[in-house]
Amino acid sequence: MTRSNEPAVWSLFSAGGVVAAFVFPALMIVTGLAAFFGWVAPAELYSVLQHPLTRVCLFVCIALPLFHWAHRFRYTVADLGLEGHDKLLSIVCYGLASVGTLLAAVLLIFR
Amino acid sequence: MAVHATHDLTREYRRTVPSTWWLKRRTYFLFMLRELTALFVGGYAAFLLVLLLLDQATFASVLKSPVSLVLHLIALPMVIYHSVTWINLTPKVLVIWRGEEQVSPTLILLVHYAAWGVISLAILGLAIWLCGGKTI
Amino acid sequence: MARIETTSKAVLDVFRYRPDEDSEPRFERFEVPFHEDWVVLDALHYIKDHLDGTLSYRWSCRMGICGSCGMMIDGEPKLSCSVFLRDYYPRPIRVEPLANFPVVRDLVINLEDFLDKLGQVKAWLIPKEPREAADGEYKQTPGELAHYRQYSMCINCMLCYSACPVYAKHPEFVGPAAIALAQRYNLDSRDAGFDERADAIFSHEGIWECTFVGDCTRVCPKHVDPAGAIQQAKVTATNDWFWSLLVPWGKRRSRAPAHEQNGGAAAGHRDAQQDQLVSSQSK
């Protein structure tokens, strides 16, 4: 047994969990209910999303929760019976999260 | 593995664990439910990502669509369950010592719930203030 | 021989397995006298004394401190000396050996794996320097004691291993009690073995297989909270990992010289196991 490098992904998982826990419910009310029922105007919301500060926040709200999902999903799939494929599962999960993070960064910088 | 055995190891009986183990106990089921909230957390993050790809018109029509409303209504309780279970576990992870005493876990819990309330209200308030629609 | 006479009967469905006779286990139903103050262990004693002398089970103190009598009672890991018949009466009570361990016979399990784990995490005091009795006692403030006291309450009953779904599927997982005990020593001001234990607990089979189900803490009869210990160990490991990344030349946490392993040998470690560990140290 040797010390693991798991802290690298565990810290991302934890950070993502914190962001999702504190920010997502309210954000979901904004995008899911407020926009639908007209409490906020989608056009106004769209222009707010162009602001650099909002874009930085958005990046955090996308990248970290993606890694939160990846880490938890990796372990849950194993718990549900798919044993012995941890390496492959890790590559798929963290890989997808990384792709999503990269895409978010590109979109937020260049669009 | 054993240094010396006092019985015949080949005659031991090993019980197997089914993959439905998490249905056998209430605490296991709630655990699995908590873990599955990650799907909705990841899902909403992906949704935000997709929103970034859209132009203003498509953005508005997506957010105004009934499909969006329904998906949000399904995901919202799951994400709230994530928040509650996450905050409830925080005192176990955040152990702070002040001299000979531990900072009260209840205090840590209350501070986190208060922060959740404040942050949520700030997001909602900011959204309505900056982007307020006709019906408030 | 005095017979206990009572009209009420409690029913126990007991897991039976005799390796020399059975290929599969079975349940055997016993009726025992019902008494308000009897626990499951009393019922097992009655069965062995009056109904079937071949029933095998472990027990010792019968007061919830030795950790010997752990078994599954209606599917929940409990100490049989601490479970009252009256809480189940008149329903039949299902008694099985502790889950996630191989069954040797009837209610007796093979707990070698757990003992192995205790050795892997070096669940004993590793002092900074070798000490003789003439050096006097260690001094420790109440505050220093408070840091690890909760984790020192572990009675090695293994109920937490039975409750843990990770250990059920992954027997290489170091497990709740062993990690809590590692924390107990890591947090002890007299100890300097942090680095020695790191390979065992900061490995994948150590803290990182834990997914914080929390059932270990729920079933612990001594309120040790192994789940909490593991999560705190994750924070420690993470801080340590980032620190070593930023300061690669930094000093490792204090450790005792490798040859001084018998400094704080805890009671209950068999000599054979000690020899095995000492020989594996010198490589």
Side-chain angles (χ1 to χ4, degrees):
Chain A
M1 289 191 289
T2 50
R3 288 166 113 132
S4 168
N5 286 313
E6 191 89 357
V9 289
W10 189 76
S11 40
L12 287 173
F13 156 77
S14 296
V18 169
V19 168
F22 285 99
V23 165
F24 271 25
L27 216 54
M28 288 176 80
I29 292 174
V30 170
T31 60
L33 298 174
F36 183 86
F37 291 114
W39 310 330
V40 304
E44 302 285 343
L45 190 61
Y46 189 82
S47 56
V48 166
L49 293 183
Q50 309 310 310
H51 193 281
L53 189 59
T54 329
R55 290 177 101 79
V56 169
C57 293
L58 260 183
F59 177 73
V60 170
C61 288
I62 294 173
L64 292 176
L66 278 179
F67 277 97
H68 175 84
W69 161 82
H71 187 78
R72 232 175 201 171
F73 191 66
R74 165 195 167 195
Y75 279 95
T76 307
V77 168
D79 275 349
L80 289 173
L82 194 75
E83 303 283 330
H85 300 277
D86 189 51
K87 260 205 158 57
L88 178 65
L89 209 51
S90 298
I91 292 170
V92 168
C93 291
Y94 300 125
L96 277 172
S98 304
V99 165
T101 301
L102 205 62
L103 196 58
V106 164
L107 287 173
L108 286 166
I109 296 174
F110 296 111
R111 255 174 157 262
Chain B
M1 180 182 73
V3 176
H4 59 273
T6 52
H7 60 275
D8 184 358
L9 293 173
T10 61
R11 299 297 228 110
E12 284 177 347
Y13 185 75
R14 283 156 197 267
R15 293 159 287 180
T16 52
V17 179
S19 34
T20 51
W21 62 269
W22 52 281
L23 291 167
K24 307 286 183 197
R25 212 179 259 177
R26 186 174 160 272
T27 46
Y28 288 168
F29 179 74
L30 292 175
F31 159 74
M32 193 51 78
L33 198 65
R34 182 193 91 197
E35 299 298 284
L36 290 173
T37 63
L39 284 172
F40 296 88
V41 165
Y44 187 66
F47 174 76
L48 289 176
L49 186 59
V50 165
L51 285 183
L52 292 179
L53 291 162
L54 309 173
D55 62 35
Q56 185 172 319
T58 325
F59 178 88
S61 65
V62 163
L63 291 188
K64 284 255 177 212
S65 70
V67 173
S68 165
L69 177 70
V70 168
L71 290 176
H72 274 89
L73 286 175
I74 294 171
L76 190 57
M78 296 301 282
V79 171
I80 289 175
Y81 190 62
H82 163 80
S83 299
V84 167
T85 52
W86 188 267
I87 292 174
N88 284 348
L89 292 178
T90 304
K92 294 273 174 166
V93 186
L94 217 60
V95 172
I96 308 168
W97 286 88
R98 284 171 67 219
E100 291 188 5
E101 298 250 324
Q102 230 184 349
V103 172
S104 155
T106 315
L107 180 65
I108 295 177
L109 199 65
L110 289 175
V111 165
H112 279 81
Y113 270 111
W116 185 34
V118 167
I119 292 170
S120 300
L121 287 173
I123 292 172
L124 288 171
L126 216 62
I128 292 177
W129 179 51
L130 292 174
C131 322
K134 292 153 288 192
T135 49
I136 296 176
Chain C
M1 182 167 43
R3 285 217 63 140
I4 302 164
E5 298 292 341
T6 171
T7 48
S8 319
K9 297 283 186 195
V11 177
L12 273 73
D13 288 324
V14 183
F15 182 102
R16 301 302 305 271
Y17 175 66
R18 289 168 296 189
D20 40 343
E21 292 169 40
D22 305 330
S23 54
E24 288 289 311
R26 59 190 169 77
F27 279 89
E28 200 169 327
R29 176 161 282 204
F30 295 99
E31 279 188 0
V32 304
F34 172 73
H35 293 265
E36 283 292 319
D37 56 348
W38 271 25
V39 290
V40 170
L41 185 61
D42 291 318
L44 294 175
H45 286 340
Y46 183 88
I47 295 170
K48 195 168 176 75
D49 287 344
H50 300 286
L51 302 179
D52 185 349
T54 66
L55 179 64
S56 304
Y57 53 97
R58 285 198 178 103
W59 66 282
S60 186
C61 75
R62 74 231 193 312
M63 59 181 201
I65 194 62
C66 72
S68 304
C69 68
M71 29 190 104
M72 305 303 281
I73 302 196
D74 268 13
E76 283 282 307
K78 297 196 172 163
L79 299 177
S80 66
C81 68
S82 309
V83 179
F84 286 93
L85 295 182
R86 64 176 185 245
D87 290 334
Y88 296 82
Y89 181 80
R91 285 187 292 110
I93 305 171
R94 199 171 78 250
V95 183
E96 296 165 280
L98 222 46
N100 305 335
F101 289 96
V103 182
V104 176
R105 180 192 182 88
D106 290 344
L107 300 169
V108 177
I109 49 104
N110 181 341
L111 45 78
E112 292 284 338
D113 188 54
F114 174 62
L115 296 179
D116 258 3
K117 302 293 171 49
L118 288 181
Q120 284 171 22
V121 304
K122 300 191 208 253
W124 52 82
L125 204 69
I126 299 173
K128 295 177 181 60
E129 291 140 352
R131 275 177 93 95
E132 301 297 319
D135 294 334
E137 71 278 32
Y138 288 99
K139 294 240 170 79
Q140 195 169 65
T141 67
E144 286 170 330
L145 170 65
H147 270 78
Y148 69 86
R149 189 172 182 278
Q150 186 178 8
Y151 305 137
S152 71
M153 295 300 162
C154 176
I155 60 174
N156 294 8
C157 65
M158 296 169 291
L159 298 193
C160 54
Y161 283 75
S162 283
C164 177
V166 175
Y167 184 68
K169 290 260 183 195
H170 305 273
E172 78 281 1
F173 176 41
V174 171
I179 298 175
L181 283 164
Q183 277 293 89
R184 175 254 175 279
Y185 288 100
N186 282 343
L187 295 171
D188 192 323
S189 57
R190 301 167 291 178
D191 182 86
F194 179 88
D195 211 40
E196 303 251 7
R197 299 188 186 97
D199 277 345
I201 51 170
F202 296 157
S203 63
H204 179 71
E205 306 85 1
I207 54 179
W208 299 114
E209 275 204 280
C210 169
T211 52
F212 206 171
V213 177
D215 242 31
C216 53
T217 290
R218 188 178 64 83
V219 304
C220 177
K222 292 307 187 185
H223 313 294
V224 171
D225 189 15
I230 296 176
Q231 304 325 304
Q232 285 153 50
K234 287 181 184 174
V235 174
T236 304
T238 303
N239 291 340
D240 212 53
W241 188 85
F242 276 109
W243 180 251
S244 65
L245 213 63
L246 295 168
V247 191
W249 57 88
K251 209 159 59 86
R252 275 296 187 195
R253 298 223 194 175
S254 61
R255 51 181 298 168
H259 59 277
E260 296 291 337
Q261 286 313 302
N262 25 336
H269 278 280
R270 297 164 305 162
D271 289 336
Q273 192 144 37
Q274 281 274 23
D275 289 339
Q276 239 193 357
L277 288 163
V278 168
S279 61
S280 71
Q281 280 307 308
S282 46
K283 54 174 179 211

